[in-house]
Amino acid sequence: MLALYLSMIDDPDDQSKFERLHEKYRQMMYFVAYRILQNNEDAEDVVQMAFIRVLNHLDDVDEEDEQKTKSYLSIIAQNLAYDVYRKKKRDWTQSFSFDEYELYIEDPNG
């Protein structure tokens, strides 16, 4: 997947910058997403979406300030994870309707 991202960047300096960011922060971003979603595949998808967003805002990332970079990337992953969580929750509640099911509750006294 990294090769696909790098093919989207024209400048060799930006390519190496992106490669360094990807190598250094992808695990941290995965853990941020997994903590929210509790699902391996969804967390991986969030990391991929986050790096696409980073591609579009690569100039905003300051590698010199490591703490700022870490915060910036974790916020991207966190926000995308919450978006995925809300979408999945909304899809689940729309696909399940209590009106479709009849519930029978037995009287414990007979």
Side-chain angles (χ1 to χ4, degrees):
M1 191 57 103
L2 181 60
L4 178 64
Y5 294 140
L6 294 176
S7 69
M8 299 168 77
I9 304 171
D10 296 328
D11 184 27
D13 292 333
D14 286 345
Q15 285 180 343
S16 61
K17 178 181 180 180
F18 184 84
E19 194 170 3
R20 287 189 304 273
L21 291 171
H22 188 271
E23 183 62 32
K24 189 170 187 175
Y25 296 107
R26 76 168 181 247
Q27 277 300 115
M28 179 269 307
M29 294 167 75
Y30 170 82
F31 287 123
V32 167
Y34 186 82
R35 186 187 68 214
I36 295 165
L37 298 168
Q38 298 295 311
N39 181 292
N40 186 38
E41 291 81 18
D42 291 339
E44 289 174 1
D45 289 345
V46 164
V47 172
Q48 301 304 324
M49 290 186 290
F51 276 112
I52 290 172
R53 189 162 292 176
V54 170
L55 274 175
N56 296 327
H57 301 282
L58 196 56
D59 295 335
D60 295 340
V61 179
D62 179 18
E63 283 186 288
E64 300 298 319
D65 188 352
E66 190 172 318
Q67 187 59 38
K68 184 177 178 182
T69 300
K70 186 176 181 179
S71 296
Y72 181 72
L73 296 177
S74 66
I75 288 170
I76 291 173
Q78 181 179 358
N79 288 343
L80 288 170
Y82 281 129
D83 289 347
V84 168
Y85 178 80
R86 283 190 294 269
K87 183 182 183 315
K88 283 186 162 286
K89 185 176 178 182
R90 183 175 53 244
D91 290 347
W92 184 82
T93 56
Q94 288 176 353
S95 68
F96 185 80
S97 172
F98 287 106
D99 296 335
E100 297 174 10
Y101 301 98
E102 292 183 27
L103 299 177
Y104 295 99
I105 302 172
E106 287 187 33
D107 186 1
N109 297 326

